Structure formats: structure tokens, C-alpha cells
Amino acid sequence: MSDVNTETVAAQAELHSPVRNFSVRLSPTPRGARLARLLATEQLRTWGLPSDPAEHIVAELAANAATHGRIRGRDFDLTMYVIGDTLRIEVTDTRAERLPCTQHPAPDAESGRGLLLVEALADRWGTAPGRPPRKTIWAEVTLRPAPAPGGPCFGGTGYLFPK
């Protein structure tokens, strides 16, 4: 009889352990993209993780979904999860035929730098096909401890933390 109680308690403990997985469906509009960034920042805070650079990556991928992946009546999904020391960010939209590509816009161009920012901020990024008509743009960030107070400052590498 005690074996059953032990198993039940263990199963209940597993159900209540924190799971670092977050997913939300949003409208493919500027407001939906802004909400994606705000929700991601709050979720990262809840998990006790730094918001940089993840919030900037979410902002760029969500803006791309709202701009380039938009089809009226179809939403986009934001998913974030942590596996080991890696935060994975995924944005799924319904324009599988429009794969992203990095551009080098003219210096005076007002847009076109989003994926360059993602490339600079993420440790890895790419695309994955989904069930038609979906595609997922993903980015991964290795979670590193914050520098010790009074420790050396990092700079000049283009990254927030040394790789």
C-alpha cells in the first residue's frame, strides 16, 4: 500500500515542478508583434533569466511575422523553451513560401536589418518547415551567468557575452 502512495506523491511532485516552456498565438499586426516582445520579456523575468538578448530577437522575429508572414485571418505563434543551458525562441507564421534571408540594406534604408540583428544576437538561428502552410524561424541563445560585479567589462566583440 505504501508503494502506491509514494508513486502518487512522486507523480504529483513532477506535475508541479516548473516547466520552462511558453507558447502564445498572436495576431500578425504591429500590436501583436509588440505584445510578443512584452510577453516574452515577462516570461523571461518569471523564469529568472535575463531579457537581453532574447527580447530583441523576439521583437525582430515577431515583427517579421507581422510584416512578411501576414495573411489575413491567420495568426503567428511565439514559443520559447529552455533545454539545459539553451533558450530556444520560435516564431511560426503561415507563409511557408516566403523564407527569410539576410539582406544588407542601403545605409539610409529604414528597414531590412532584422535578420542581421538576429544573426548578431543569437548563437544559432535558422528555419524549419511546418505543417503546410507554416514555417518556423528559430533562434537559440546559450544562457551564461552574468559577469561578476567588479569583474572585467566585455566589449568590442559585437556580442553581449564572450562566446
Side-chain angles (χ1 to χ4, degrees):
M1 191 69 134
S2 63
D3 290 337
V4 173
N5 289 338
T6 304
E7 290 176 18
T8 303
V9 170
Q12 289 174 347
E14 287 177 23
L15 291 176
H16 296 295
S17 67
V19 175
R20 291 187 176 188
N21 185 4
F22 172 78
S23 188
V24 64
R25 179 164 287 167
L26 299 158
S27 65
T29 62
R31 184 176 181 182
R34 188 171 48 253
L35 184 56
R37 182 184 56 80
L38 294 171
L39 291 171
T41 301
E42 179 59 22
Q43 187 61 53
L44 292 165
R45 187 193 65 74
T46 300
W47 287 342
L49 298 175
S51 62
D52 283 332
E55 73 175 310
H56 302 294
I57 294 169
V58 168
E60 293 302 331
L61 295 181
N64 282 351
T67 304
H68 306 292
R70 182 178 186 167
I71 293 180
R72 188 174 180 187
R74 295 184 184 170
D75 296 332
F76 76 91
D77 295 319
L78 165 65
T79 302
M80 297 189 316
Y81 52 92
V82 177
I83 297 176
D85 66 348
T86 300
L87 169 66
R88 184 170 172 112
I89 300 162
E90 298 179 349
V91 173
T92 302
D93 67 39
T94 54
R95 294 289 300 266
E97 76 281 2
R98 294 192 73 182
L99 293 176
C101 60
T102 55
Q103 304 174 29
H104 294 280
D108 60 345
E110 294 183 13
S111 63
R113 294 174 183 82
L115 288 177
L116 292 174
L117 289 171
V118 171
E119 191 171 82
L121 295 172
D123 294 306
R124 293 163 297 286
W125 77 277
T127 63
R131 287 188 358 232
R134 295 171 183 81
K135 72 170 178 303
T136 298
I137 313 303
W138 58 267
E140 292 180 345
V141 176
T142 302
L143 303 171
R144 296 172 181 85
C153 295
F154 301 116
T157 63
Y159 297 98
L160 297 175
F161 300 99
K163 288 194 171 200

